[in-house]
Amino acid sequence: RWQSRPSGLEAELDAASLRLQPRRAGSEVSALTIAWERSSWQSGALQTRGRLDGLPLAWIDALALEAAQEAPNGAARAQGPLARAGLGGDLVFDGRWDLFLPAQAAQPPRFNLGLQRRSGDLAVQTDGAFDENTTRCQRVQAGVKQAQLQLTTDGPRVSAQLRWDSEQFGEASADLTSALSPPDDRHTAWHWAEAAPVAGRLQASLPQVGVWSVLAPPGWRVRGSLRAEAVLSGTRADPRFNGSLQADDLALRSLVNGIVFRGGELRATLAGERIVIERFRLEGRGGPERGGVLQASGSAEWRRVLRDGQTVREPLIELQATATRLRASTRADRRLTVTGDLRARLEGRALQ
């Protein structure tokens, strides 16, 4: 119901619920329920609170296919973006919102948004286990135990929290904060300015499983464990990360090219816009005695430089590598062993 007053339009929406489902979704895609408490619009201020019950991850594909079919002259796709990326499963989320947008420009907006896993799991398609000699595709269940995202405000301060925990894809967490800026000459509402400070901490622990081959090019297999920790500082336009990156038991394999590397490790440090590779090591097939060793170190940064009176970003990469009797290929028609040193420097577009 609504009514017009001298102060402006006022409207109220009574508590209710709505059940939705994509029109072209199959029976395997469940419906979503949206329920809200009484919502109001008074004197230019909006207040609403409610929840989402049973939001399937499969909706991403269902809605993408529906949009593609209805687009003018749009070519219909056989698969959605998740399916094309090799992702699927029956993961279902619940969500909630509590939102207040004041009429006074001097008062910051207030919101509390949350999304968390209710049930189901994520399935990832891979080319097979690391040591298999076939390209048989298989689906691996991630074993999701927790997936949660929360976004809240306290005055101008904004906080975001991410939690991920799974049996096969490890754990990850992020706690981030920033601030909104009030209206100014360029913005008519509260906004996230480029100079807004950012701070936070990120952690990830990825187990030693072969499912990470899904991130590698076709025909390549990857294995290893990874741990990362970083502290975020700086501003929205100039974020800085400081922390460490550690990988163990790295292995890389290409069935077609006969490339097999094992026993790898990586130690790297993040320092602002610079990453320093303190140690990188890989062993050829058969271990260091038979397969040789590759060792490398270096650094990379995305630095600011002045070009034609304008500040632009260009890469600066320095790499030193040493190969000692490294069996680079073990194919019968392409046996290759490498020994020697390599020093390379990429500065902008200039390679030395």
Side-chain angles (χ1 to χ4, degrees):
R1 58 182 180 270
W2 62 274
Q3 57 183 335
S4 179
R5 294 182 179 275
S7 59
L9 181 68
E10 293 188 0
E12 287 188 357
L13 183 64
D14 291 334
S17 63
L18 185 65
R19 188 175 176 85
L20 302 175
Q21 187 166 20
R23 286 179 300 175
R24 293 180 173 84
S27 59
E28 70 278 1
V29 180
S30 58
L32 164 68
T33 299
I34 303 177
W36 60 88
E37 302 178 13
R38 175 173 293 184
S39 301
S40 65
W41 173 275
Q42 294 183 350
S43 302
L46 172 65
Q47 184 166 9
T48 177
R49 181 184 297 115
R51 69 180 192 276
L52 305 176
D53 292 332
L55 175 61
L57 184 67
W59 264 46
I60 296 178
D61 279 352
L63 293 176
L65 290 175
E66 184 169 323
Q69 292 171 355
E70 293 184 352
N73 301 321
R77 291 181 178 270
Q79 292 182 318
L82 290 180
R84 292 197 301 272
L87 302 177
D90 56 355
L91 201 59
V92 177
F93 294 89
D94 286 338
R96 55 179 173 76
W97 77 86
D98 185 353
L99 176 67
F100 176 66
L101 299 178
Q104 297 79 16
Q107 186 177 356
R110 173 179 56 81
F111 52 83
N112 189 335
L113 311 175
L115 189 68
Q116 60 279 332
R117 170 186 175 270
R118 172 203 272 189
S119 61
D121 202 359
L122 178 69
V124 180
Q125 181 174 303
T126 70
D127 289 334
F130 183 86
D131 293 315
E132 287 185 354
N133 292 321
T134 66
T135 57
R136 176 180 58 88
C137 292
Q138 63 180 358
R139 280 190 170 270
V140 177
Q141 298 298 125
V144 179
K145 296 182 283 186
Q146 181 184 21
Q148 180 178 335
L149 177 64
Q150 184 169 333
L151 186 65
T152 60
T153 61
D154 182 7
R157 184 174 183 268
V158 182
S159 301
Q161 184 183 79
L162 171 69
R163 296 291 183 269
W164 168 269
D165 187 8
S166 68
E167 296 177 1
Q168 298 294 336
F169 281 84
E171 304 175 9
S173 66
D175 294 276
L176 309 173
T177 61
S178 188
L180 298 177
S181 298
D184 55 26
D185 295 338
R186 297 179 55 191
H187 302 86
T188 59
W190 285 77
H191 58 283
W192 192 24
E194 292 186 353
V198 293
R201 180 176 295 273
L202 301 90
Q203 294 180 315
S205 177
L206 312 181
Q208 179 183 324
V209 290
V211 295
W212 297 110
S213 293
V214 71
L215 304 177
W220 289 79
R221 309 271 173 86
V222 180
R223 186 183 67 192
S225 62
L226 176 68
R227 289 185 61 86
E229 295 185 2
V231 174
L232 172 65
S233 61
T235 65
R236 173 198 162 193
D238 186 20
R240 302 297 179 97
F241 292 92
N242 292 275
S244 61
L245 185 66
Q246 175 179 326
D248 292 291
D249 196 26
L250 291 175
L252 180 67
R253 184 184 186 196
S254 171
L255 303 178
V256 176
N257 298 301
I259 298 175
V260 181
F261 296 124
R262 299 174 182 266
E265 62 177 346
L266 170 68
R267 299 293 183 269
T269 301
L270 301 174
E273 299 179 337
R274 179 181 173 87
I275 179 171
V276 178
I277 302 174
E278 301 165 349
R279 175 179 172 85
F280 178 73
R281 174 186 170 91
L282 278 176
E283 298 176 358
R285 187 173 187 176
E289 293 79 14
R290 296 179 55 191
V293 177
L294 172 66
Q295 300 187 79
S297 62
S299 64
E301 62 180 300
W302 196 247
R303 61 176 186 167
R304 290 181 174 86
V305 297
L306 191 63
R307 299 291 186 195
D308 299 327
Q310 293 184 341
T311 301
V312 297
R313 287 184 177 269
E314 291 185 351
L316 174 60
I317 302 175
E318 296 179 306
L319 177 67
Q320 304 85 40
T322 300
T324 305
R325 299 186 303 277
L326 181 69
R327 296 179 66 183
S329 177
T330 59
R331 269 182 46 167
D333 61 340
R334 195 185 299 171
R335 298 188 184 276
L336 178 63
T337 301
V338 178
T339 296
D341 297 327
L342 170 67
R343 292 183 179 275
R345 177 186 173 92
L346 176 64
E347 185 173 358
R349 299 180 179 179
L351 177 63
Q352 301 176 4

